[in-house]
Amino acid sequence: MNRAIGPTVAVIAVLAMIGYAIFGPTGLYAWGDYGQSVEKQRVVLADLTKKQNELKNRVSLLDRRRVDPDLAEEYVREKLGAYHPDEVIIPMDPDAQP
């Protein structure tokens, strides 16, 4: 009986390692979840990249050396509320695409 304890413990340890390799947090079953997570993060990254490019364009248009006159006028009117009495202001949803 004493001779069987060593191999039994070794077999249990090997089975535990195999179980961890298959069912553990970084095991074979977790790979499917990682693939879905990566795809979700790629979608988020694409959205953030689009917003970043829009902001870069706006920053370049507001550069002190060469300001876009239309954008500067829009910005000043929006921040200061400098509208003519005969103008009609139509608020637009910022997320709306032209």
Side-chain angles (χ1 to χ4, degrees):
M1 187 73 145
N2 288 338
R3 292 187 336 188
I5 292 175
T8 304
V9 170
V11 167
I12 291 173
V14 168
L15 289 176
M17 286 188 274
I18 291 172
Y20 186 78
I22 294 173
F23 301 109
T26 58
L28 296 175
Y29 283 126
W31 282 9
D33 294 336
Y34 289 145
Q36 291 174 356
S37 176
V38 166
E39 288 303 318
K40 288 178 185 176
Q41 295 301 323
R42 283 187 180 150
V43 170
V44 169
L45 178 64
D47 290 340
L48 290 175
T49 303
K50 180 181 174 186
K51 287 181 183 180
Q52 181 184 22
N53 290 336
E54 290 173 0
L55 288 173
K56 280 183 181 180
N57 182 37
R58 192 160 179 100
V59 166
S60 69
L61 291 175
L62 288 174
D63 187 11
R64 292 180 187 211
R65 293 169 290 204
R66 48 177 165 64
V67 175
D68 180 38
D70 292 331
L71 185 62
E73 180 183 1
E74 173 189 332
Y75 186 74
V76 168
R77 285 175 169 242
E78 178 183 325
K79 293 299 178 188
L80 297 179
Y83 300 104
H84 296 288
D86 61 344
E87 289 182 328
V88 176
I89 301 171
I90 303 172
M92 296 180 63
D93 182 20
D95 296 332
Q97 302 250 342

